[in-house]
Amino acid sequence: KAAGLMINAWMVYTLSPVHTDAYYQERTRELVALGADHIGVKDATGLLTPERARTLFPAVRNAAGTTPIQLHSHCQSSLAPAVYSEAIKAGFDFMQTASQPLANGASLPATEDIYARARELGADASLDEGALGRAAGYFAWLCRREGKPQGRIAQYDPALYAHQIPGGMISNLKSQLAALHIEHRLQEIIDEAARVRADLGYPIVVSPFAQYVVTQAVLNVIQGERYKTVPDEVRKYATGY
């Protein structure tokens, strides 16, 4: 790596028969060997549960040695704040969060909540609470001025663990289906996305792979025949590109 360049390496979390604790532990060792300055666990869909975190996080922390570890998880399942508590217990060094008005829902946990959890767990955490309050006040005012909703705590959704589609992509999909007047077929497409992902060998559902899976699922449902049309990107992925 170039002199002075900081390398932040991320491992994206997903659920499948092959993405075990041992798998992530081995990837962590590889990143340490490559000279990563920080290693992160990124849960873009919010699939992590406290139960899985209790085995995964110590395994990653052990494999990382002295390399700092950070966590990035979204709140779609509503479990992310509890998952962050497990990361703190396991010795993770950094947590990615969002100011209270912009947190929760499909976003990150609130900075204020995770800071309070860290203090309660005895972690070495020190933030300017006055500055946090001023930042939250600004964003709350901005939401009101622009007529935008503030973040709300999501309800637990078990279907998330089957389709694993990130929140932003589901929002876009709903909008696109509504424009085509077929929004009533959303659940069919979500169910088919889970099957397509299994067919493709369980790719992690983040860009660009999320687009591959969902696009193929839409085609399968709308055309009434699975894989009648297969985009070039899906063909290339399936053949190892």
Side-chain angles (χ1 to χ4, degrees), residues 162 189-203 205 209-221 226-227 234 237:
I189 291 168
I190 288 175
D191 293 342
E192 177 63 12
R195 289 188 285 269
V196 169
R197 180 173 180 261
D199 292 344
L200 293 178
Y202 303 103
V205 190
F209 311 118
Q211 285 77 5
Y212 300 171
V213 171
V214 174
T215 298
Q216 187 65 65
V218 170
L219 291 171
N220 289 358
V221 169
R226 303 189 78 225
Y227 302 108
V234 175
Y237 177 80

Side-chain angles (χ1 to χ4, degrees), residues 88-89 91-93 95 114-126:
I88 295 167
K89 293 175 188 176
F92 276 43
D93 302 277
M95 311 289 149
I114 302 307
Y115 179 54
R117 289 170 181 263
R119 296 289 295 273
E120 290 171 5
L121 291 168
D124 182 13
S126 179

Side-chain angles (χ1 to χ4, degrees), residues 5-101:
L5 182 65
M6 183 73 72
I7 298 178
N8 294 315
W10 289 94
M11 300 183 294
V12 181
Y13 177 76
T14 192
L15 289 170
S16 83
V18 299
H19 290 89
T20 62
D21 291 357
Y23 172 90
Y24 283 108
Q25 193 171 41
E26 185 58 32
R27 301 291 79 74
T28 302
R29 293 192 184 100
E30 289 179 1
L31 293 174
V32 169
L34 288 170
D37 296 293
H38 290 81
I39 295 173
V41 175
K42 183 167 185 176
D43 180 19
T45 308
L47 299 171
L48 273 165
T49 65
E51 292 77 14
R52 179 68 188 276
R54 288 183 196 117
T55 62
L56 175 64
F57 291 169
V60 171
R61 175 71 275 175
N62 178 265
T66 59
T67 303
I69 302 286
Q70 56 186 318
L71 175 63
H72 174 112
S73 184
H74 289 247
C75 297
Q76 280 177 260
S77 70
S78 79
L79 298 177
V83 169
Y84 275 54
S85 290
E86 296 302 325
I88 295 167
K89 293 175 188 176
F92 276 43
D93 302 277
F94 302 101
M95 311 289 149
Q96 296 200 346
T97 59
S99 181
Q100 182 72 55

Side-chain angles (χ1 to χ4, degrees), residues 3 31 45 81 85 109 111-112 115 134 140 152 155 167 184 234 239 241:
L31 293 174
T45 308
S85 290
T111 305
E112 297 84 344
Y115 179 54
R134 291 191 294 275
R152 289 186 172 86
Q155 291 185 327
H184 60 283
V234 175
T239 53
Y241 278 73

